[in-house]
Amino acid sequence: MSAASLETLGTLESRVRWLASWTIHNANHLRGADVGDVKVGGHQASCASISTIMTALYFHSLRPQDRVAVKPHAGPIFHAIQYLAGNQSLEKLQNFRGFHGAQSYPSRTKDVDDVDFSTGSVGLGVAQTLFSSLVQDYVKAHGGLNKAPEGRMISLVGDAEMDEGNIYEALLEGWKHGLRNCWWIVDYNRQSLDAVIREGLWEKFESIFRNFGWDVVTLKYGSLQEEAFKEPGGNKLRDWIDLCPNQLYCALAYQGGAAWRKRLLDDLGDQGEVTELIERRSDEELSKLMCNLGGHDLPSLIEAFEEAGKHDRPVLFLCYTVKGFGLPLAGHKDNHAG
Ligand SMILES: Cc1ncc(C[n+]2csc(CCOP(=O)(O)OP(=O)(O)O)c2C)c(N)n1
Ligand SMILES: [Mg+2]
């Protein structure tokens, strides 16, 4: 991909994130200002977390025949993307969660911007994509697809959403029927509604999914981080990231550059070249580096989707992200709805 295209995608990503954040802010604090703030709700942090992934998908990787189940709390990101594509109106965004406004969770019946799967109860959209792939195989086997291309059924999933039991029931069913053309993309921000997720969950996902015949693609480090790891002392930084508990990573993402520096120097300051690696960067650069996880790195996402697009095996993408990425509430423990 050319540098110019990448830059354009980066601009789209920040506009999508801004528009989703603004849609929610407007509903809660501006629309009813004459009667005081109204608790309308909406989830800015959940949206920001998945904004890079959805930008890569919708503005680059999706084909017309593909269908997507968007994790419920990313509804505003979906509507923002559709707005930029000319399929959603400003009026409905301004009336988010109001009567006839854009829906809080993507809805096939109430939204106008071509939602593929209604979501809301976590877990349901995930399983639906798997069964849709099986149905597509059935229809094809019975000559119903004619010459139409096979679509890919894609689910965008929260990491805590993976707690839902119906997902594992579906997994087994998929294995029995030779599941194809199905991607599940986990927004691995390590935060749920009200907690930080348990350490090492990614290992459980890896082994469960491989066991059921899925490919597992983990996007942990962004390209900025990969570059930094090549600098002298970079391996120490990577080890630190790998050992950092989820709770601390989230807290530092919230506190920002000075806090990252203090903690990194406290832990690594006496370990040679890595000190210079840290000190070469301003607070802002350090914060950008540490939040440049795989799920916020357009080149990594695009490459991973391109690679997986070469075959029809089911794929689980584990994309490390920061909940609230790019917003002042990034990583904060109360950022789900607070
Ligand atoms: C069946 C069901 N149970 C509970 C909820 C309440 N709920 C909303 S979001 C959420 C978890 C959010 O965490 P995660 O899946 O990690 O999403 P993200 O961090 O991306 O916001 C839960 C349990 C729900 N929507 N549906
Ligand atoms: Mg989460």
Side-chain angles (χ1 to χ4, degrees), residues 58-188:
Y58 280 87
F59 291 108
H60 188 267
S61 305
L62 284 182
R63 306 161 304 171
Q65 66 269 33
D66 298 333
R67 297 289 176 267
V68 186
V70 176
K71 69 168 186 176
H73 301 82
I77 289 279
F78 175 78
H79 296 311
I81 288 172
Q82 297 302 338
Y83 175 78
L84 293 184
N87 303 325
Q88 176 59 281
S89 71
L90 179 60
E91 195 190 357
K92 285 192 185 292
L93 294 187
Q94 285 169 332
N95 199 14
F96 174 64
R97 285 192 163 196
F99 188 52
H100 285 163
Q103 294 295 300
S104 36
Y105 309 126
S107 166
R108 281 183 62 76
T109 49
K110 294 183 194 159
D111 278 315
V112 294
D113 45 0
D114 201 16
V115 170
D116 294 330
F117 297 94
S118 297
T119 57
S121 289
V122 293
L124 293 188
V126 188
Q128 277 189 72
T129 54
L130 184 149
F131 287 110
S132 298
S133 300
L134 298 183
V135 168
Q136 177 173 251
D137 284 350
Y138 178 89
V139 170
K140 185 172 178 172
H142 288 75
L145 222 52
N146 289 325
K147 290 197 168 61
E150 289 178 356
R152 188 169 286 123
M153 306 298 159
I154 301 172
S155 181
L156 301 171
V157 196
D159 44 11
E161 182 168 14
M162 293 295 288
D163 289 353
E164 295 298 321
N166 70 311
I167 291 178
Y168 301 90
E169 200 176 330
L171 258 187
L172 185 57
E173 206 59 23
W175 170 76
K176 287 183 195 166
H177 295 287
L179 176 69
R180 308 180 304 130
N181 294 314
C182 187
W183 287 0
W184 289 355
I185 304 173
V186 180
D187 179 352
Y188 200 69

Side-chain angles (χ1 to χ4, degrees), residues 11-23:
T11 304
L12 286 166
E13 178 199 345
S14 60
R15 291 198 180 173
V16 161
R17 190 159 53 239
W18 183 89
L19 188 50
S21 303
W22 184 262
T23 299

Side-chain angles (χ1 to χ4, degrees), residues 46 71 73 120-122 158-161 189 191-193 323 336:
S46 304
K71 69 168 186 176
H73 301 82
S121 289
V122 293
D159 44 11
E161 182 168 14
N189 58 29
Q191 287 186 267
S192 69
L193 186 155
K323 190 154 176 170
H336 186 82

